[in-house]
Amino acid sequence: MLNKGRSVEELFSFFAEKKSLDLDHDYILSSMCTLPHSVAVRAHCMFMETNLGDPGLFPGTFSLEHLLVKRFGDLFHCPDAGGYATSGGTESNIQALRLAKALRHEVASPNVIVPASAHFSFKKACDILGLSMQKVPLDRDHRMDAGKAAEMIDANTVAMVGVAGTTEYGMVDPIADLGKIADQHDLFFHVDAAFGGMVIPFLDRPVPFDFALKGVTTVAVDPHKMGMSTIPAGCLVTREKDALNTLNIDTPYLTVKQEYTLGGTRPGAPVAAALAVMDYLGFDGMKAVVSGCMKNTERLIAGMETLGIPRAATPDVNVATFVCDQKRIPLPWRVSWTCQKHLRIVCMPHVHADRIEAFLSDIGEYHA
Amino acid sequence: MLNKGRSVEELFSFFAEKKSLDLDHDYILSSMCTLPHSVAVRAHCMFMETNLGDPGLFPGTFSLEHLLVKRFGDLFHCPDAGGYATSGGTESNIQALRLAKALRHEVASPNVIVPASAHFSFKKACDILGLSMQKVPLDRDHRMDAGKAAEMIDANTVAMVGVAGTTEYGMVDPIADLGKIADQHDLFFHVDAAFGGMVIPFLDRPVPFDFALKGVTTVAVDPHKMGMSTIPAGCLVTREKDALNTLNIDTPYLTVKQEYTLGGTRPGAPVAAALAVMDYLGFDGMKAVVSGCMKNTERLIAGMETLGIPRAATPDVNVATFVCDQKRIPLPWRVSWTCQKHLRIVCMPHVHADRIEAFLSDIGEYHA
């Protein structure tokens, strides 16, 4: 640590220099996060110091968290849903599996059934929780094979996971079929809609993925992805209002007696930010945002195919993938690659139509 | 979800109304968090959209995280320390125990030795990780009994925990003695200095609690407590630079190949905020802040005793506890209570000397 402090000028000139090393969002095509909406930033700053880790001190902010969960309950066809604001999909997924395991604590060697496409946070969750992770193969369209999932369920299976908007190919698993299987087996069924939860409801033809399906137990959704909130803003939504109480531990010296969250201190600022965007845009506004992202995705796929770069999949949400050589991507564009070495581009709200055209132009010239 | 959005005016008037329901910090005497420093807020806003979950996109912000860890390494007498910015003490403590368990994965029924005063996050960590938690009794001064801790170590013990600045009574466990015991048993020794890590180094007579002691393996410290950062800002510091790599899992499609963090998306804003306060104040500035908080703690204890309300302990850090009837606290002051029903007040930086006098005056009149 420095002995003498730095002046404000010196400090922020150093910080500005560091900030300039971060990539320009104009060239980031690889991220499932985006620039926060202006109302998100304003709400975040307004609630900067609030801590939901001790909600009795911040009853106003706590009521906003309650409202955020209610918004997702309404959106996901379960007005009486429970849940809480998490730090993102990883925490939501860990907590869902933690709950599934706790509800079946008599199982000595618990396992969880996940699609091969599941986000790596499930590997993390299983490692931490001591769960055996059983991977279900995908069908030709990169979706979880429901028939194979059903075959893999055994007496030690404490949960099944489906993904609504996969990270790599933007696919929605056959949640309706999986929900029926879960219902038949009376199995905990968690839907990871961290990405798709703020996309699918706003599509022209939404695929069923939420509590409208009887078998769905919990849904993870990340307002800090397509919800254009500040980070970290996730939400774990539960069909049963008080489901998470199973995870309660005692919390002496706080204004509440127990808590079920994974973290202790929890920032209220991104919760206010997430709610701000949802309430400012409303359903119609979000539909317009999603429609724009889907149009850009289609335009990108069409443009790439015109350049002789074929799609790797026809996605359900705004993630485009291509059969493309890594050498074909000109600087300073930042893209990503799937495990199968397909080029992957996420058409987030910050990736405006003109950026898609600029990218297509650059990649075209780079190859001409 | 609302169909039509709300106007900005309508939205923020609603938010302002909710915000007004939160408690005024002028009356919060119960929290280990505080109002963020102005340089923290400025830095937070500057780095609002940065996500350390994919550090390759934000190399500038990532270098600030590196620098924050370095600051703590220097402060804690281990310039080559490793570690990362967490969401707070709970994540740091979970990750430390996760690491200890992973390093001894051959132990079938692992246990962890913690003081009876350990923060409830250790109960959470043990539940999640499947560790048996062995509580060591405290001595008369509310400090962990090192002799009894030594007796409780067995072949299945994968870690021992000591606390530097307990949540309830503000005590520092005999870390030097515990470090020797850990060293003799070649045991993983985690020091939870979430609160004390930004107090003890700045005391006139600092108690040894960090890597200067050979036996200490990891230290948790929370800049969002006494470090006056924005939340969520914690740090897990490891003596060995690359210790956390043991926890690595593969992360396809990111700019990094593996990650060991608990969360996925990680906000860069509070990391910049934490570093901003440390670098703006420097060692001398932090010493002045801590000196003020300790003086206020002493004044509060003296003032309460004058009113016939005796101390419950003589604390090592700025947490004051009293033998006091719950009915003696006038509104709107917000205090907290320990498990043993002692009145507990944390003299954080936002609890200025005039607030202590106002509280003493109120409690005096309330009883006259």
Side-chain angles (χ1 to χ4, degrees), chain B residues 82-113:
Chain B
Y84 79 103
T86 67
S87 58
T90 297
E91 175 173 347
S92 301
N93 291 336
I94 292 174
Q95 288 281 90
L97 295 195
R98 183 181 166 207
L99 176 58
K101 183 189 167 191
L103 292 170
R104 296 279 304 279
H105 55 84
E106 74 287 357
V107 178
S109 304
N111 70 57
V112 175
I113 297 195

PDB file of all heavy atoms in Angstrom, chain B residues 82-113:
ATOM      1  N   GLY B  82      -1.152 -14.239  -4.014  1.00  0.00           N
ATOM      2  CA  GLY B  82      -2.128 -14.360  -5.093  1.00  0.00           C
ATOM      3  C   GLY B  82      -3.506 -14.045  -4.539  1.00  0.00           C
ATOM      4  O   GLY B  82      -3.652 -13.637  -3.389  1.00  0.00           O
ATOM      5  N   GLY B  83      -4.529 -14.245  -5.379  1.00  0.00           N
ATOM      6  CA  GLY B  83      -5.895 -14.028  -4.925  1.00  0.00           C
ATOM      7  C   GLY B  83      -6.727 -13.353  -5.984  1.00  0.00           C
ATOM      8  O   GLY B  83      -6.282 -13.149  -7.115  1.00  0.00           O
ATOM      9  N   TYR B  84      -7.929 -12.974  -5.609  1.00  0.00           N
ATOM     10  CA  TYR B  84      -8.829 -12.287  -6.554  1.00  0.00           C
ATOM     11  C   TYR B  84      -9.907 -11.526  -5.790  1.00  0.00           C
ATOM     12  O   TYR B  84     -10.096 -11.723  -4.591  1.00  0.00           O
ATOM     13  CB  TYR B  84      -9.445 -13.292  -7.537  1.00  0.00           C
ATOM     14  CG  TYR B  84     -10.592 -14.110  -7.004  1.00  0.00           C
ATOM     15  CD1 TYR B  84     -11.915 -13.813  -7.360  1.00  0.00           C
ATOM     16  CD2 TYR B  84     -10.385 -15.169  -6.131  1.00  0.00           C
ATOM     17  CE1 TYR B  84     -12.986 -14.560  -6.879  1.00  0.00           C
ATOM     18  CE2 TYR B  84     -11.445 -15.919  -5.653  1.00  0.00           C
ATOM     19  CZ  TYR B  84     -12.739 -15.611  -6.012  1.00  0.00           C
ATOM     20  OH  TYR B  84     -13.793 -16.350  -5.524  1.00  0.00           O
ATOM     21  N   ALA B  85     -10.587 -10.657  -6.523  1.00  0.00           N
ATOM     22  CA  ALA B  85     -11.653  -9.848  -5.931  1.00  0.00           C
ATOM     23  C   ALA B  85     -12.937 -10.661  -5.906  1.00  0.00           C
ATOM     24  O   ALA B  85     -13.410 -11.121  -6.942  1.00  0.00           O
ATOM     25  CB  ALA B  85     -11.856  -8.570  -6.741  1.00  0.00           C
ATOM     26  N   THR B  86     -13.500 -10.840  -4.713  1.00  0.00           N
ATOM     27  CA  THR B  86     -14.731 -11.606  -4.535  1.00  0.00           C
ATOM     28  C   THR B  86     -15.906 -10.650  -4.321  1.00  0.00           C
ATOM     29  O   THR B  86     -15.722  -9.431  -4.293  1.00  0.00           O
ATOM     30  CB  THR B  86     -14.625 -12.520  -3.296  1.00  0.00           C
ATOM     31  OG1 THR B  86     -14.576 -11.692  -2.122  1.00  0.00           O
ATOM     32  CG2 THR B  86     -13.369 -13.383  -3.346  1.00  0.00           C
ATOM     33  N   SER B  87     -17.077 -11.234  -4.103  1.00  0.00           N
ATOM     34  CA  SER B  87     -18.259 -10.411  -3.832  1.00  0.00           C
ATOM     35  C   SER B  87     -18.387 -10.109  -2.342  1.00  0.00           C
ATOM     36  O   SER B  87     -19.369  -9.518  -1.914  1.00  0.00           O
ATOM     37  CB  SER B  87     -19.508 -11.130  -4.330  1.00  0.00           C
ATOM     38  OG  SER B  87     -19.619 -12.397  -3.707  1.00  0.00           O
ATOM     39  N   GLY B  88     -17.395 -10.541  -1.552  1.00  0.00           N
ATOM     40  CA  GLY B  88     -17.429 -10.255  -0.125  1.00  0.00           C
ATOM     41  C   GLY B  88     -16.969 -11.433   0.701  1.00  0.00           C
ATOM     42  O   GLY B  88     -16.589 -12.484   0.160  1.00  0.00           O
ATOM     43  N   GLY B  89     -17.027 -11.255   2.010  1.00  0.00           N
ATOM     44  CA  GLY B  89     -16.509 -12.246   2.945  1.00  0.00           C
ATOM     45  C   GLY B  89     -17.102 -13.629   2.756  1.00  0.00           C
ATOM     46  O   GLY B  89     -16.395 -14.634   2.879  1.00  0.00           O
ATOM     47  N   THR B  90     -18.398 -13.709   2.474  1.00  0.00           N
ATOM     48  CA  THR B  90     -19.028 -15.018   2.319  1.00  0.00           C
ATOM     49  C   THR B  90     -18.379 -15.790   1.172  1.00  0.00           C
ATOM     50  O   THR B  90     -17.985 -16.954   1.337  1.00  0.00           O
ATOM     51  CB  THR B  90     -20.549 -14.869   2.106  1.00  0.00           C
ATOM     52  OG1 THR B  90     -21.111 -14.275   3.277  1.00  0.00           O
ATOM     53  CG2 THR B  90     -21.200 -16.212   1.871  1.00  0.00           C
ATOM     54  N   GLU B  91     -18.247 -15.165   0.002  1.00  0.00           N
ATOM     55  CA  GLU B  91     -17.589 -15.847  -1.123  1.00  0.00           C
ATOM     56  C   GLU B  91     -16.143 -16.192  -0.774  1.00  0.00           C
ATOM     57  O   GLU B  91     -15.675 -17.305  -1.051  1.00  0.00           O
ATOM     58  CB  GLU B  91     -17.621 -14.995  -2.404  1.00  0.00           C
ATOM     59  CG  GLU B  91     -16.834 -15.638  -3.545  1.00  0.00           C
ATOM     60  CD  GLU B  91     -16.950 -14.931  -4.891  1.00  0.00           C
ATOM     61  OE1 GLU B  91     -17.829 -14.067  -5.041  1.00  0.00           O
ATOM     62  OE2 GLU B  91     -16.157 -15.263  -5.797  1.00  0.00           O
ATOM     63  N   SER B  92     -15.427 -15.270  -0.141  1.00  0.00           N
ATOM     64  CA  SER B  92     -14.025 -15.528   0.221  1.00  0.00           C
ATOM     65  C   SER B  92     -13.921 -16.741   1.142  1.00  0.00           C
ATOM     66  O   SER B  92     -13.057 -17.605   0.963  1.00  0.00           O
ATOM     67  CB  SER B  92     -13.413 -14.309   0.911  1.00  0.00           C
ATOM     68  OG  SER B  92     -13.461 -13.179   0.079  1.00  0.00           O
ATOM     69  N   ASN B  93     -14.811 -16.800   2.125  1.00  0.00           N
ATOM     70  CA  ASN B  93     -14.769 -17.908   3.084  1.00  0.00           C
ATOM     71  C   ASN B  93     -15.163 -19.232   2.421  1.00  0.00           C
ATOM     72  O   ASN B  93     -14.535 -20.269   2.677  1.00  0.00           O
ATOM     73  CB  ASN B  93     -15.672 -17.602   4.283  1.00  0.00           C
ATOM     74  CG  ASN B  93     -15.130 -16.461   5.137  1.00  0.00           C
ATOM     75  OD1 ASN B  93     -13.927 -16.190   5.131  1.00  0.00           O
ATOM     76  ND2 ASN B  93     -16.002 -15.779   5.858  1.00  0.00           N
ATOM     77  N   ILE B  94     -16.186 -19.211   1.577  1.00  0.00           N
ATOM     78  CA  ILE B  94     -16.578 -20.428   0.845  1.00  0.00           C
ATOM     79  C   ILE B  94     -15.401 -20.911  -0.002  1.00  0.00           C
ATOM     80  O   ILE B  94     -15.047 -22.096  -0.008  1.00  0.00           O
ATOM     81  CB  ILE B  94     -17.803 -20.175  -0.062  1.00  0.00           C
ATOM     82  CG1 ILE B  94     -19.065 -19.909   0.767  1.00  0.00           C
ATOM     83  CG2 ILE B  94     -18.041 -21.359  -1.012  1.00  0.00           C
ATOM     84  CD1 ILE B  94     -20.300 -19.501  -0.061  1.00  0.00           C
ATOM     85  N   GLN B  95     -14.779 -19.979  -0.718  1.00  0.00           N
ATOM     86  CA  GLN B  95     -13.694 -20.356  -1.627  1.00  0.00           C
ATOM     87  C   GLN B  95     -12.468 -20.887  -0.877  1.00  0.00           C
ATOM     88  O   GLN B  95     -11.807 -21.820  -1.338  1.00  0.00           O
ATOM     89  CB  GLN B  95     -13.311 -19.161  -2.494  1.00  0.00           C
ATOM     90  CG  GLN B  95     -14.351 -18.821  -3.547  1.00  0.00           C
ATOM     91  CD  GLN B  95     -14.256 -19.742  -4.755  1.00  0.00           C
ATOM     92  OE1 GLN B  95     -14.902 -20.787  -4.807  1.00  0.00           O
ATOM     93  NE2 GLN B  95     -13.450 -19.379  -5.725  1.00  0.00           N
ATOM     94  N   ALA B  96     -12.177 -20.304   0.285  1.00  0.00           N
ATOM     95  CA  ALA B  96     -11.035 -20.778   1.077  1.00  0.00           C
ATOM     96  C   ALA B  96     -11.282 -22.224   1.509  1.00  0.00           C
ATOM     97  O   ALA B  96     -10.399 -23.084   1.374  1.00  0.00           O
ATOM     98  CB  ALA B  96     -10.818 -19.877   2.292  1.00  0.00           C
ATOM     99  N   LEU B  97     -12.486 -22.503   1.993  1.00  0.00           N
ATOM    100  CA  LEU B  97     -12.786 -23.874   2.441  1.00  0.00           C
ATOM    101  C   LEU B  97     -12.870 -24.827   1.246  1.00  0.00           C
ATOM    102  O   LEU B  97     -12.475 -25.993   1.339  1.00  0.00           O
ATOM    103  CB  LEU B  97     -14.081 -23.907   3.255  1.00  0.00           C
ATOM    104  CG  LEU B  97     -14.070 -23.156   4.588  1.00  0.00           C
ATOM    105  CD1 LEU B  97     -15.253 -23.579   5.446  1.00  0.00           C
ATOM    106  CD2 LEU B  97     -12.766 -23.361   5.357  1.00  0.00           C
ATOM    107  N   ARG B  98     -13.367 -24.317   0.115  1.00  0.00           N
ATOM    108  CA  ARG B  98     -13.420 -25.139  -1.109  1.00  0.00           C
ATOM    109  C   ARG B  98     -12.009 -25.563  -1.514  1.00  0.00           C
ATOM    110  O   ARG B  98     -11.763 -26.709  -1.886  1.00  0.00           O
ATOM    111  CB  ARG B  98     -14.089 -24.315  -2.224  1.00  0.00           C
ATOM    112  CG  ARG B  98     -14.290 -25.044  -3.529  1.00  0.00           C
ATOM    113  CD  ARG B  98     -14.946 -24.112  -4.561  1.00  0.00           C
ATOM    114  NE  ARG B  98     -14.871 -24.660  -5.904  1.00  0.00           N
ATOM    115  CZ  ARG B  98     -14.862 -23.935  -7.017  1.00  0.00           C
ATOM    116  NH1 ARG B  98     -14.939 -22.607  -6.942  1.00  0.00           N
ATOM    117  NH2 ARG B  98     -14.784 -24.509  -8.196  1.00  0.00           N
ATOM    118  N   LEU B  99     -11.085 -24.598  -1.409  1.00  0.00           N
ATOM    119  CA  LEU B  99      -9.691 -24.879  -1.748  1.00  0.00           C
ATOM    120  C   LEU B  99      -9.086 -25.882  -0.767  1.00  0.00           C
ATOM    121  O   LEU B  99      -8.435 -26.854  -1.171  1.00  0.00           O
ATOM    122  CB  LEU B  99      -8.889 -23.568  -1.743  1.00  0.00           C
ATOM    123  CG  LEU B  99      -7.388 -23.674  -1.994  1.00  0.00           C
ATOM    124  CD1 LEU B  99      -7.101 -24.334  -3.350  1.00  0.00           C
ATOM    125  CD2 LEU B  99      -6.726 -22.291  -1.947  1.00  0.00           C
ATOM    126  N   ALA B 100      -9.332 -25.661   0.521  1.00  0.00           N
ATOM    127  CA  ALA B 100      -8.791 -26.569   1.544  1.00  0.00           C
ATOM    128  C   ALA B 100      -9.296 -27.992   1.320  1.00  0.00           C
ATOM    129  O   ALA B 100      -8.540 -28.969   1.421  1.00  0.00           O
ATOM    130  CB  ALA B 100      -9.191 -26.079   2.938  1.00  0.00           C
ATOM    131  N   LYS B 101     -10.571 -28.123   0.983  1.00  0.00           N
ATOM    132  CA  LYS B 101     -11.163 -29.436   0.733  1.00  0.00           C
ATOM    133  C   LYS B 101     -10.547 -30.074  -0.513  1.00  0.00           C
ATOM    134  O   LYS B 101     -10.198 -31.259  -0.510  1.00  0.00           O
ATOM    135  CB  LYS B 101     -12.680 -29.272   0.556  1.00  0.00           C
ATOM    136  CG  LYS B 101     -13.438 -30.574   0.362  1.00  0.00           C
ATOM    137  CD  LYS B 101     -14.900 -30.307  -0.016  1.00  0.00           C
ATOM    138  CE  LYS B 101     -15.566 -31.590  -0.509  1.00  0.00           C
ATOM    139  NZ  LYS B 101     -16.884 -31.325  -1.130  1.00  0.00           N
ATOM    140  N   ALA B 102     -10.387 -29.277  -1.571  1.00  0.00           N
ATOM    141  CA  ALA B 102      -9.839 -29.800  -2.831  1.00  0.00           C
ATOM    142  C   ALA B 102      -8.402 -30.291  -2.646  1.00  0.00           C
ATOM    143  O   ALA B 102      -7.985 -31.288  -3.243  1.00  0.00           O
ATOM    144  CB  ALA B 102      -9.897 -28.717  -3.911  1.00  0.00           C
ATOM    145  N   LEU B 103      -7.647 -29.598  -1.801  1.00  0.00           N
ATOM    146  CA  LEU B 103      -6.250 -29.980  -1.573  1.00  0.00           C
ATOM    147  C   LEU B 103      -6.134 -31.276  -0.782  1.00  0.00           C
ATOM    148  O   LEU B 103      -5.078 -31.906  -0.759  1.00  0.00           O
ATOM    149  CB  LEU B 103      -5.507 -28.847  -0.835  1.00  0.00           C
ATOM    150  CG  LEU B 103      -5.291 -27.566  -1.642  1.00  0.00           C
ATOM    151  CD1 LEU B 103      -4.766 -26.453  -0.742  1.00  0.00           C
ATOM    152  CD2 LEU B 103      -4.330 -27.806  -2.814  1.00  0.00           C
ATOM    153  N   ARG B 104      -7.218 -31.658  -0.111  1.00  0.00           N
ATOM    154  CA  ARG B 104      -7.222 -32.895   0.671  1.00  0.00           C
ATOM    155  C   ARG B 104      -8.381 -33.782   0.208  1.00  0.00           C
ATOM    156  O   ARG B 104      -9.112 -34.344   1.025  1.00  0.00           O
ATOM    157  CB  ARG B 104      -7.370 -32.573   2.168  1.00  0.00           C
ATOM    158  CG  ARG B 104      -6.214 -31.782   2.785  1.00  0.00           C
ATOM    159  CD  ARG B 104      -5.028 -32.680   3.139  1.00  0.00           C
ATOM    160  NE  ARG B 104      -5.422 -33.759   4.012  1.00  0.00           N
ATOM    161  CZ  ARG B 104      -5.582 -33.657   5.336  1.00  0.00           C
ATOM    162  NH1 ARG B 104      -5.357 -32.511   5.942  1.00  0.00           N
ATOM    163  NH2 ARG B 104      -5.944 -34.699   6.059  1.00  0.00           N
ATOM    164  N   HIS B 105      -8.519 -33.909  -1.115  1.00  0.00           N
ATOM    165  CA  HIS B 105      -9.688 -34.602  -1.685  1.00  0.00           C
ATOM    166  C   HIS B 105      -9.751 -36.076  -1.304  1.00  0.00           C
ATOM    167  O   HIS B 105     -10.778 -36.727  -1.457  1.00  0.00           O
ATOM    168  CB  HIS B 105      -9.733 -34.426  -3.202  1.00  0.00           C
ATOM    169  CG  HIS B 105      -8.472 -34.857  -3.894  1.00  0.00           C
ATOM    170  ND1 HIS B 105      -8.232 -36.155  -4.233  1.00  0.00           N
ATOM    171  CD2 HIS B 105      -7.379 -34.154  -4.262  1.00  0.00           C
ATOM    172  CE1 HIS B 105      -7.037 -36.231  -4.797  1.00  0.00           C
ATOM    173  NE2 HIS B 105      -6.501 -35.034  -4.822  1.00  0.00           N
ATOM    174  N   GLU B 106      -8.631 -36.615  -0.779  1.00  0.00           N
ATOM    175  CA  GLU B 106      -8.627 -38.029  -0.380  1.00  0.00           C
ATOM    176  C   GLU B 106      -9.360 -38.260   0.949  1.00  0.00           C
ATOM    177  O   GLU B 106      -9.697 -39.399   1.281  1.00  0.00           O
ATOM    178  CB  GLU B 106      -7.186 -38.556  -0.295  1.00  0.00           C
ATOM    179  CG  GLU B 106      -6.357 -38.082   0.906  1.00  0.00           C
ATOM    180  CD  GLU B 106      -5.897 -36.626   0.836  1.00  0.00           C
ATOM    181  OE1 GLU B 106      -6.168 -35.951  -0.176  1.00  0.00           O
ATOM    182  OE2 GLU B 106      -5.290 -36.143   1.815  1.00  0.00           O
ATOM    183  N   VAL B 107      -9.625 -37.181   1.683  1.00  0.00           N
ATOM    184  CA  VAL B 107     -10.306 -37.331   2.975  1.00  0.00           C
ATOM    185  C   VAL B 107     -11.809 -37.550   2.737  1.00  0.00           C
ATOM    186  O   VAL B 107     -12.476 -36.707   2.139  1.00  0.00           O
ATOM    187  CB  VAL B 107     -10.091 -36.079   3.859  1.00  0.00           C
ATOM    188  CG1 VAL B 107     -10.832 -36.216   5.182  1.00  0.00           C
ATOM    189  CG2 VAL B 107      -8.599 -35.840   4.087  1.00  0.00           C
ATOM    190  N   ALA B 108     -12.323 -38.677   3.207  1.00  0.00           N
ATOM    191  CA  ALA B 108     -13.715 -39.043   2.911  1.00  0.00           C
ATOM    192  C   ALA B 108     -14.721 -38.214   3.714  1.00  0.00           C
ATOM    193  O   ALA B 108     -15.764 -37.822   3.205  1.00  0.00           O
ATOM    194  CB  ALA B 108     -13.929 -40.524   3.181  1.00  0.00           C
ATOM    195  N   SER B 109     -14.416 -37.952   4.984  1.00  0.00           N
ATOM    196  CA  SER B 109     -15.341 -37.179   5.829  1.00  0.00           C
ATOM    197  C   SER B 109     -14.621 -35.966   6.405  1.00  0.00           C
ATOM    198  O   SER B 109     -14.303 -35.915   7.588  1.00  0.00           O
ATOM    199  CB  SER B 109     -15.857 -38.047   6.985  1.00  0.00           C
ATOM    200  OG  SER B 109     -16.462 -39.209   6.489  1.00  0.00           O
ATOM    201  N   PRO B 110     -14.382 -34.985   5.553  1.00  0.00           N
ATOM    202  CA  PRO B 110     -13.566 -33.839   5.983  1.00  0.00           C
ATOM    203  C   PRO B 110     -14.256 -32.969   7.030  1.00  0.00           C
ATOM    204  O   PRO B 110     -15.474 -32.795   6.993  1.00  0.00           O
ATOM    205  CB  PRO B 110     -13.351 -33.052   4.684  1.00  0.00           C
ATOM    206  CG  PRO B 110     -14.446 -33.481   3.764  1.00  0.00           C
ATOM    207  CD  PRO B 110     -14.821 -34.878   4.153  1.00  0.00           C
ATOM    208  N   ASN B 111     -13.484 -32.468   7.964  1.00  0.00           N
ATOM    209  CA  ASN B 111     -14.024 -31.495   8.915  1.00  0.00           C
ATOM    210  C   ASN B 111     -13.168 -30.229   8.933  1.00  0.00           C
ATOM    211  O   ASN B 111     -12.030 -30.215   8.453  1.00  0.00           O
ATOM    212  CB  ASN B 111     -14.164 -32.102  10.320  1.00  0.00           C
ATOM    213  CG  ASN B 111     -12.838 -32.355  10.992  1.00  0.00           C
ATOM    214  OD1 ASN B 111     -12.024 -31.445  11.165  1.00  0.00           O
ATOM    215  ND2 ASN B 111     -12.596 -33.607  11.382  1.00  0.00           N
ATOM    216  N   VAL B 112     -13.764 -29.180   9.474  1.00  0.00           N
ATOM    217  CA  VAL B 112     -13.120 -27.869   9.546  1.00  0.00           C
ATOM    218  C   VAL B 112     -13.275 -27.357  10.967  1.00  0.00           C
ATOM    219  O   VAL B 112     -14.348 -27.468  11.560  1.00  0.00           O
ATOM    220  CB  VAL B 112     -13.795 -26.885   8.565  1.00  0.00           C
ATOM    221  CG1 VAL B 112     -13.230 -25.493   8.719  1.00  0.00           C
ATOM    222  CG2 VAL B 112     -13.638 -27.361   7.136  1.00  0.00           C
ATOM    223  N   ILE B 113     -12.206 -26.787  11.491  1.00  0.00           N
ATOM    224  CA  ILE B 113     -12.223 -26.269  12.861  1.00  0.00           C
ATOM    225  C   ILE B 113     -12.385 -24.760  12.842  1.00  0.00           C
ATOM    226  O   ILE B 113     -11.559 -24.051  12.255  1.00  0.00           O
ATOM    227  CB  ILE B 113     -10.924 -26.697  13.572  1.00  0.00           C
ATOM    228  CG1 ILE B 113     -10.930 -28.225  13.630  1.00  0.00           C
ATOM    229  CG2 ILE B 113     -10.797 -26.037  14.937  1.00  0.00           C
ATOM    230  CD1 ILE B 113      -9.959 -28.831  14.550  1.00  0.00           C
TER     231      ILE B 113
END
